[in-house]
Amino acid sequence: QAQLVESGGGLVQAGGSLRLSCVASRTLLSRYFMGWYRQAPGKQRELVASITNRGIPSYPGSVKGRFTISRDTAENTVYLQMDNLKPEDTAVYYCNVNPPDRQCWGQGTQVTVSA
């Protein structure tokens, strides 16, 4: 069972920025695609950004142009830089492999964006 620890969430005004961090293992970063997911109240968990094991990012939805996923293999960390945040970005954010492994879900980090 892999351990993933997310941090960096908080309360921010609309238009503000946050950077989330996810400490993973060297094995995960080198072998698997990694993803940032989010779950808003009453909604299903969704993938917001992904990065390949070679460091190529992709953004499947509405965050493209505002969020940036990156990784630091020396620190075994995956980041999510979130700019121009909107109230609809409010959610608990998680990292996991992509596609997700049920055993890898951590506690997540809460992001709250006020209008």
Side-chain angles (χ1 to χ4, degrees):
Q1 180 178 353
Q3 187 172 16
L4 299 166
V5 181
E6 304 96 342
S7 63
L11 173 63
V12 64
Q13 289 187 331
S17 298
L18 285 172
R19 189 176 81 154
L20 307 183
S21 299
C22 170
V23 179
S25 70
R26 184 181 303 273
T27 299
L28 285 183
L29 264 61
S30 65
R31 292 186 180 181
Y32 298 98
F33 289 21
M34 297 296 297
W36 278 99
Y37 302 78
R38 67 184 180 188
Q39 187 167 23
K43 295 188 177 181
Q44 288 190 332
R45 200 171 301 185
E46 62 174 346
L47 175 70
V48 296
S50 180
I51 190 164
T52 73
N53 58 337
R54 293 177 180 266
I56 300 171
S58 63
Y59 309 93
S62 63
V63 307
K64 195 170 185 178
R66 299 189 298 121
F67 290 9
T68 303
I69 188 170
S70 63
R71 63 179 197 163
D72 183 334
T73 54
E75 298 293 328
N76 297 328
T77 302
V78 181
Y79 299 102
L80 185 68
Q81 176 68 40
M82 305 186 294
D83 298 316
N84 191 22
L85 282 161
K86 303 177 181 181
E88 52 263 42
D89 295 318
T90 295
V92 180
Y93 284 71
Y94 304 86
C95 67
N96 202 325
V97 296
N98 182 21
D101 183 328
R102 284 195 308 174
Q103 294 187 330
C104 293
W105 292 115
Q107 295 298 310
T109 186
Q110 176 71 47
V111 172
T112 303
V113 185
S114 62

